[in-house]
Amino acid sequence: MAECCISCNSAQFAALPEGGEPIKVGHHSERRHRRALDRAHTTARAAIEADDAARSAAESARIAARSTDHRYTPAVIHRRIERQSAELRSIERHLTKYRAAGHTAETSNHIHQLELNKAELERDIEYWTAVRAEQDATDGPKLYSRADLRPGCFVNCSGTWHKVIRVNAKSVTVATAYSWTDRLPYDKITDARAEDAHTPIRPGQ
């Protein structure tokens, strides 16, 4: 689109008198000269606007692609499922409480809304759980787990390497520069190395 406008723009300017000749006021060519200038300026503005629109669309597409990729990384999906599962458990507790209190108009409204929220969360959890299962079953991105790591290896979290002291169900216990240890959840681990600190450990291998 922008190339078309630029070509048209060149044609419009080519129709103008050479050398930037000024408008001859009162001359029979004045009206034609003014129309040619107006067309050239209008076409130039259109070309600029089309170019700006193309740049904006490309940037929006780039941002959208990056956002979508981020949403589908194993760590982000795992944290989303954990958060939604906690919300679902909270809703189920509230439903139990309201149902035990009896059905007044107020509790009935609360129960109805909670049931809608519960159904939506269950659908989301089912979807994201299936996405994670497909990632694990194929060559898609993987998340580190207890099966991948062992005491003595090294893990990277937020750009910092840590030596693993103990492997737990949902995290690893790592050494610190102080007298205490720290825990890192598996979904925070972005890289791992064997005990020699050089050999890569790949998740799911």
Side-chain angles (χ1 to χ4, degrees), residues 5-6 8-17 32-48:
C5 291
I6 291 172
C8 294
N9 187 40
S10 299
Q12 296 293 347
F13 277 108
L16 297 175
R32 183 176 69 253
H33 195 163
R34 291 187 184 278
R35 286 197 300 272
L37 282 173
D38 288 342
R39 285 194 298 271
H41 292 159
T42 298
T43 305
R45 285 195 298 271
I48 293 171

Side-chain angles (χ1 to χ4, degrees), residues 110-166:
H110 283 306
I111 289 173
H112 178 66
Q113 185 59 54
L114 287 171
E115 286 175 339
L116 292 177
N117 295 344
K118 179 175 181 288
E120 183 177 0
L121 278 170
E122 287 173 339
R123 287 192 298 270
D124 284 349
I125 292 171
E126 181 181 6
Y127 171 77
W128 290 115
T129 300
V131 171
R132 280 291 298 117
E134 183 177 2
Q135 289 175 336
D136 286 338
T138 63
D139 291 333
K142 302 289 191 297
L143 190 68
Y144 283 100
S145 70
R146 186 175 192 172
D148 302 313
L149 307 174
R150 54 191 176 271
C153 69
F154 295 84
V155 294
N156 192 299
C157 176
S158 301
T160 302
W161 287 96
H162 307 267
K163 185 174 183 178
V164 175
I165 303 299
R166 186 168 55 256

Side-chain angles (χ1 to χ4, degrees), residues 3-205:
E3 291 181 359
C4 178
C5 291
I6 291 172
S7 299
C8 294
N9 187 40
S10 299
Q12 296 293 347
F13 277 108
L16 297 175
E18 294 183 5
E21 182 179 346
I23 296 174
K24 298 176 181 178
V25 179
H27 191 267
H28 66 83
S29 65
E30 178 184 356
R31 295 178 65 183
R32 183 176 69 253
H33 195 163
R34 291 187 184 278
R35 286 197 300 272
L37 282 173
D38 288 342
R39 285 194 298 271
H41 292 159
T42 298
T43 305
R45 285 195 298 271
I48 293 171
E49 291 172 358
D51 185 61
D52 288 344
R55 291 175 184 273
S56 178
E59 178 65 11
S60 296
R62 185 183 66 81
I63 293 173
R66 183 178 62 189
S67 175
T68 300
D69 289 343
H70 177 71
R71 290 181 68 233
Y72 279 81
T73 57
V76 171
I77 294 175
H78 175 78
R79 288 193 289 271
R80 183 182 298 115
I81 293 173
E82 291 285 301
R83 184 182 68 253
Q84 291 179 331
S85 297
E87 292 176 9
L88 182 60
R89 290 191 296 271
S90 176
I91 286 176
E92 289 172 340
R93 288 193 297 270
H94 281 85
L95 279 171
T96 300
K97 181 182 72 174
Y98 283 126
R99 286 167 178 158
H103 285 268
T104 65
E106 184 177 2
T107 57
S108 293
N109 289 335
H110 283 306
I111 289 173
H112 178 66
Q113 185 59 54
L114 287 171
E115 286 175 339
L116 292 177
N117 295 344
K118 179 175 181 288
E120 183 177 0
L121 278 170
E122 287 173 339
R123 287 192 298 270
D124 284 349
I125 292 171
E126 181 181 6
Y127 171 77
W128 290 115
T129 300
V131 171
R132 280 291 298 117
E134 183 177 2
Q135 289 175 336
D136 286 338
T138 63
D139 291 333
K142 302 289 191 297
L143 190 68
Y144 283 100
S145 70
R146 186 175 192 172
D148 302 313
L149 307 174
R150 54 191 176 271
C153 69
F154 295 84
V155 294
N156 192 299
C157 176
S158 301
T160 302
W161 287 96
H162 307 267
K163 185 174 183 178
V164 175
I165 303 299
R166 186 168 55 256
V167 177
N168 313 302
K170 295 185 177 182
S171 65
V172 290
T173 302
V174 297
T176 69
Y178 308 98
S179 59
W180 58 84
T181 58
D182 199 1
R183 284 197 174 194
L184 300 177
Y186 290 114
D187 59 15
K188 296 291 186 180
I189 298 173
T190 56
D191 200 358
R193 295 285 184 270
E195 291 83 349
D196 60 7
H198 297 291
T199 306
I201 298 176
R202 303 303 180 196
Q205 295 182 351

